[in-house]
Amino acid sequence: MKFKHYNQQQTVLLPYSFDDLIPEQHPVRVVDYVVESINIQPLLKAYSKEGNPGYHPKMLLKVMLYAYMTNVYSSRKIELALRENINFMWLTSMTIVDHNTINRFRSNKLKDSFKEIFKQVVLMLASEGLITLKQIYTDGTKIEAQAGRYTFVWGKSIKTNKAKMLTQLEDLWNYAQSIDNDDNPDPEPTQFKEINKEVIEQTVAKIDAKLSGNEKASSKSKAKLRYIKNNFVANLEKYEQQEAILAERNSYSKTDTEATFMRMKEDHMRNGQLKPAYNTQISTENQIIVHYTIHQNPTDTKTLKPHLENFEKTFGKETLQQLKEITADAGYGSEENYDYLQEKELTAYVKYNTFDKEQDKNYQKKNKPFSKENLYYNQEEDYYVCPMGQKMHKTHQSKRTTEAGHTQSLSHYQAKNCESCPLRGQCFKAKGNRSIERNHNLERHKQRTRELLLSETGIQKRKQRTADVEPVFAQLKHNNGFRRFSLKGLEKVELEFGLMALGHNLRKKIAA
């Protein structure tokens, strides 16, 4: 049989060049071109002029971008690629970097300058005509943290445990008072409204004085006192430390204290369990990630304002003023967000929570004409009219603060005579005359939003949103397998997602 010549020991007159082995249109060349085109001066500030020379940050940046572009996220796997993958070898000119150096570069050196690098690449894509930065589509998804799935710390549990401590202390104090031989018992050392170190120490000292040497004191009460002495102060200090970590959140993970437990769509046990995660928000145009932020709050409503504020901080006021339109789903529809978007003069194609239901004819018929949304309102004289034609005049104004800290102004209206109304049973069930409350500012925003969303442009925007921002998450999570962060902590997680986002943008640049 005949075969082509094969000899592993065959020498060549001229050694092979890596450049000859890399195709001209290969993605690794795009990474090289982009990094060579941007200003890495902000990255150089992370390095000291003293000490031994380090690996060039430009080389390490190329390695990190190409790694995330090709779905290689582990520092050990990146090190292995530098030894075995010809594309990585071409980027580094055969320089081998160990995984610790790679991890330090990603976690420490890159963190302060990466947003600037990301911004430069986005502006480069804008200059090439791939995006305009005049409209964005915003959405969010939850990505699991690199933390133990069952290492819960809950804010409600801490409050419950502190309340139990207070109850146990009060019960033991009352018991000590009841068996005290003194005819003139001491007044209570505290009103037991709030537990703290001083309350514990003072109460324990007085209880100890009453129980010690008292023949009526049971061994069980003395055992409880010993337990309180040995554990309550330490437990209280632990709870206070946990509350400091929680801040305004309701939970965190012991193995990544900056991760919050959230309900995930991708549930490994398929029973709706909460898992430690981060809320990732992105704004896209033409499926290119224009901006990204990471949040500890699971509710999208509270993320839109800080997301856009960070956009302004990263790109500057001029770029934000250039932005004209934003499109998002009903998770972002709140009075606070509408006020903010109006202040920034952004045309908001942002649904409110009942918009989709209102488009259903069955929903429109239900509760009509008795629901307060369908009552006639006279704006000039400021009154509502009930289905029987009775005027509901304004009685008073009130203020309400939302969970996000936004103050709402509410107007209250009440009818004067509902006792003999034949429609009373269908209209409302409460006693007395029917009353309603209305947030006129929110209703104004909803009316404006309804007009925008039902317009020809609004319908097109709603269709485009599902084809613009949502496929990006599908690409990142399903096609690229990025379902869980590799790093811990909010700052490092944001950097890791930024690398993933920039890798995605470079893939879009290649496909354009």
Side-chain angles (χ1 to χ4, degrees), residues 48-319:
S48 173
K49 296 180 180 180
E50 301 175 353
N52 292 329
Y55 295 104
H56 201 288
K58 188 179 289 187
M59 178 192 77
L60 294 174
L61 179 59
K62 292 177 184 178
V63 169
M64 292 306 305
L65 289 182
Y66 187 67
Y68 274 81
M69 190 176 171
T70 54
N71 309 331
V72 182
Y73 313 128
S74 165
S75 58
R76 292 182 183 273
K77 289 183 179 179
I78 295 174
E79 179 186 353
L80 183 63
L82 292 174
R83 298 177 183 274
E84 298 178 351
N85 190 309
I86 190 172
N87 299 313
F88 283 91
M89 293 177 182
W90 178 73
L91 284 176
T92 63
S93 297
M94 287 293 292
T95 303
I96 305 300
V97 185
D98 67 278
H99 65 275
N100 286 324
T101 303
I102 294 169
N103 204 36
R104 282 195 298 270
F105 175 78
R106 177 173 57 181
S107 301
N108 301 326
K109 303 296 185 183
L110 204 55
K111 63 180 181 180
D112 295 327
S113 58
F114 186 78
K115 269 292 178 76
E116 176 63 26
I117 293 170
F118 184 86
K119 167 191 169 183
Q120 290 185 51
V121 176
V122 170
L123 295 178
M124 179 190 296
L125 297 176
S127 67
E128 294 175 1
L130 297 178
I131 54 177
T132 64
L133 292 177
K134 293 182 179 179
Q135 60 175 349
I136 57 174
Y137 299 87
T138 301
D139 201 359
T141 190
K142 298 173 181 64
I143 299 179
E144 190 175 352
Q146 181 63 25
R149 287 171 173 165
Y150 308 107
T151 55
F152 308 95
V153 175
W154 296 100
K156 289 184 179 179
S157 297
I158 294 173
K159 292 180 181 178
T160 300
N161 291 337
K162 289 173 72 174
K164 287 180 180 179
M165 289 170 60
L166 198 62
T167 301
Q168 291 175 17
L169 198 62
E170 186 175 8
D171 290 344
L172 191 59
W173 167 254
N174 292 334
Y175 173 78
Q177 287 278 62
S178 66
I179 64 168
D180 191 7
N181 294 325
D182 193 351
D183 294 334
N184 298 315
D186 295 333
E188 291 188 4
T190 178
Q191 294 181 351
F192 295 101
K193 289 184 178 180
E194 185 177 352
I195 190 88
N196 56 56
K197 185 178 178 180
E198 289 73 21
V199 168
I200 294 173
E201 291 176 345
Q202 292 175 11
T203 307
V204 165
K206 294 196 174 186
I207 293 174
D208 193 16
K210 292 181 180 295
L211 295 185
S212 59
N214 192 326
E215 296 178 356
K216 296 180 182 179
S218 64
S219 58
K220 187 176 180 179
S221 63
K222 292 180 179 179
K224 284 185 179 179
L225 180 61
R226 285 195 299 272
Y227 177 81
I228 291 173
K229 274 185 180 180
N230 296 332
N231 297 283
F232 269 31
V233 173
N235 289 347
L236 184 62
E237 290 177 353
K238 181 184 72 173
Y239 294 146
E240 289 174 349
Q241 290 173 0
Q242 291 175 342
E243 287 177 328
I245 295 172
L246 280 168
E248 298 179 357
R249 294 181 292 160
N250 61 358
S251 63
Y252 73 86
S253 170
K254 294 178 182 177
T255 49
D256 182 359
T257 57
E258 295 186 347
T260 306
F261 278 85
M262 305 179 186
R263 201 169 299 282
M264 311 282 288
K265 290 182 180 178
E266 301 86 3
D267 183 6
H268 65 288
M269 296 190 72
R270 301 189 178 183
N271 59 359
Q273 285 196 355
L274 297 171
K275 292 189 284 190
Y278 291 93
N279 189 352
T280 305
Q281 299 289 314
I282 64 171
S283 292
T284 67
E285 183 185 0
N286 197 21
Q287 292 191 6
I288 290 173
I289 301 176
V290 174
H291 186 58
Y292 67 92
T293 51
I294 308 294
H295 304 265
Q296 296 172 292
N297 196 306
T299 308
D300 286 343
T301 310
K302 300 178 183 178
T303 62
L304 183 62
K305 185 177 178 180
H307 178 76
L308 293 178
E309 287 175 344
N310 190 268
F311 179 88
E312 181 179 356
K313 180 182 177 182
T314 302
F315 288 88
K317 287 186 177 180
E318 293 181 358
T319 305

Side-chain angles (χ1 to χ4, degrees), residues 379-446:
Q379 188 173 0
E380 294 179 358
E381 299 184 29
D382 194 15
Y383 66 82
Y384 280 86
V385 179
C386 78
M388 283 297 291
Q390 183 182 180
K391 292 182 179 180
M392 303 176 69
H393 291 283
K394 184 176 177 179
T395 57
H396 65 283
Q397 289 273 127
S398 67
K399 299 287 185 181
R400 181 171 63 194
T401 303
T402 65
E403 187 181 348
H406 178 68
T407 302
Q408 296 179 325
S409 178
L410 304 174
S411 299
H412 297 260
Y413 301 84
Q414 189 173 39
K416 291 184 177 180
N417 184 18
C418 295
E419 293 297 328
S420 58
C421 179
L423 300 178
R424 178 187 173 92
Q426 296 174 277
C427 188
F428 73 109
K429 305 292 185 182
K431 295 181 180 179
N433 296 321
R434 183 180 181 182
S435 61
I436 60 173
E437 64 177 30
R438 301 296 281 169
N439 184 337
H440 288 296
N441 184 44
L442 179 58
E443 292 302 317
R444 177 180 61 83
H445 283 306
K446 288 170 70 174

